[in-house]
Amino acid sequence: MSQFKKIGVLTSGGDAPGMNAAIRAVVRTAVYNGLEIVGVKRGYNGLLHEDFINMDARSVGETLQKGGTILQTARCLEFKTSEGVKKAVEVAKRNEIDGLIVIGGDGSFRGARDLTREGLPTVAMPGTIDNDINCSEYTVGYDTCLNTVIEAVDKLRDTSSSHERCSVVEVMGRGAGYIAIESAIACGAEVVLIPEEPFDFQKDVIDVIQQGKERGKKHSIVIVAEGVGGTVEMAKKIEEQTGVEARATILGHVQRGGSPTVRDRVIASQMGARAVELLLEGKSNRIVCMQHGEIADVDIEEGLNMKKHVSQELIKLARQLAI
């Protein structure tokens, strides 16, 4: 434990509700264990340019309920080079930072791995609304995002019902359909399209909407993951081929914001505290994650190589309940 006197914390990649809860847990766990703690502003970019702030228990007061990240986040092309990583480690050593906690997604984890390889002990934890970290059953921000989507779709359903329309709603998820599939079940969507599952537009979209119309349905909801794309064009095709008025809605970055749910606050707090504990135990190059409903940790390389798939049971359930 004597190896660590000062540690840093940063957020990287896209922001996610609950990141502030994680920062708070990191800071207060560090202070509780007698460590100095610095916040690194704007992710790896801030690490390279020594954009640091000294933090204490009061620095994170009244932050638990806030969305976004108080440390901010930014892209950093320089850090993707070996020279950039070496420079970051030199900056950390010059500022007597003995270890680092990184909150973010896959790209952020690769950066954490590279820092550890160059001699800066680093632990990472998942903060991303997409729930697409392969080694973890859950990522901080996912539950809040789902609730934001459901609130929006519920409101769209009101107007769709009033006008007997079809609402085609695009949700985030470039390479993963977790947001789409769970929100589709939760809001009772007639159709859900995700990048992991091939689909036939006629059979899986047009025919489903037509059959619903014949059974007396007055409106319908189609949820489309961002990675599928073509949301506006889909709405036009639906209207042309079914005669049902269709409107496209792209929820976009509204899904990233908002006060985190209880689930995100608690899990972020657990993961943030565990990240500090791992450093104190002399462990680095680890990802704090959730496995079998419990907080766990895995080697970063191992975590990046794991595979994760959208549940076929959820896909089946979504179709089964949409009749």
Side-chain angles (χ1 to χ4, degrees), residues 92-323:
K93 288 181 177 178
R94 186 164 63 246
N95 285 272
E96 300 181 329
I97 296 173
D98 304 312
L100 186 68
I101 309 292
V102 172
I103 305 164
D106 272 353
S108 306
F109 295 172
R110 291 185 176 89
R113 174 200 62 193
D114 294 344
L115 288 171
T116 302
R117 286 176 176 174
E118 288 297 328
L120 179 63
T122 305
V123 172
M125 60 161 284
T128 169
I129 63 170
D130 292 326
N131 201 34
D132 61 349
I133 300 301
N134 294 338
C135 63
S136 188
E137 295 166 3
Y138 187 82
T139 65
V140 172
Y142 182 54
D143 188 60
T144 306
C145 172
L146 285 176
N147 279 276
T148 298
V149 171
I150 295 310
E151 183 179 358
V153 175
D154 285 349
K155 291 177 179 178
L156 285 170
R157 184 182 290 282
D158 291 343
T159 189
S160 293
S161 177
S162 299
H163 293 270
E164 298 186 52
R165 286 178 181 154
C166 171
S167 281
V168 185
V169 185
E170 182 181 295
V171 300
M172 281 189 165
R174 277 199 301 269
Y178 299 102
I179 296 172
I181 196 70
E182 290 208 29
S183 63
I185 292 170
C187 72
E190 281 68 29
V191 176
V192 56
L193 304 176
I194 60 176
E196 296 92 335
E197 286 284 307
F199 65 93
D200 180 296
F201 190 75
Q202 180 65 44
K203 174 177 174 289
D204 297 319
V205 182
I206 298 300
D207 290 353
V208 170
I209 293 172
Q210 287 279 29
Q211 290 163 10
K213 185 179 176 183
E214 291 167 6
R215 290 196 299 270
K217 284 195 172 187
K218 301 299 183 184
H219 63 277
S220 55
I221 301 290
V222 177
I223 301 290
V224 183
E226 179 185 7
V228 173
T231 308
V232 174
E233 291 73 18
M234 281 186 196
K236 290 178 181 176
K237 287 182 181 179
I238 289 169
E239 187 163 331
E240 290 168 0
Q241 295 181 38
T242 67
V244 175
E245 186 180 7
R247 292 287 184 272
T249 301
I250 299 174
L251 294 183
H253 285 82
V254 69
Q255 294 162 88
R256 289 197 182 279
S259 181
T261 60
V262 169
R263 180 170 171 78
D264 276 325
R265 296 183 197 195
V266 172
I267 292 176
S269 298
Q270 290 178 296
M271 288 185 171
R274 184 60 187 142
V276 176
E277 290 166 359
L278 284 170
L279 285 180
L280 290 172
E281 292 168 8
K283 299 174 183 176
S284 65
N285 204 48
R286 310 294 292 177
I287 299 172
V288 179
C289 56
M290 177 176 283
Q291 295 185 347
H292 309 295
E294 300 290 336
I295 303 301
D297 61 275
V298 298
D299 178 82
I300 290 181
E301 205 67 63
E302 178 187 346
L304 290 171
N305 289 328
M306 287 181 179
K307 300 298 180 186
K308 182 177 179 181
H309 305 283
V310 173
S311 165
Q312 288 297 314
E313 287 298 315
L314 287 181
I315 293 171
K316 177 183 176 183
L317 182 63
R319 291 171 178 163
Q320 181 176 298
L321 299 183
I323 61 174

Side-chain angles (χ1 to χ4, degrees), residues 23-65:
I23 294 167
R24 175 179 179 269
V26 168
V27 170
R28 293 194 170 178
T29 304
V31 171
Y32 182 83
N33 285 280
L35 301 177
E36 291 182 61
I37 176 80
V38 295
V40 181
K41 302 292 291 289
R42 301 175 183 86
Y44 291 123
N45 187 68
L47 183 58
L48 284 170
H49 296 95
E50 301 187 53
D51 193 0
F52 303 148
I53 55 170
N54 293 320
M55 304 185 80
D56 58 26
R58 301 282 65 80
S59 301
V60 288
E62 301 298 326
T63 61
L64 191 62
Q65 76 280 9

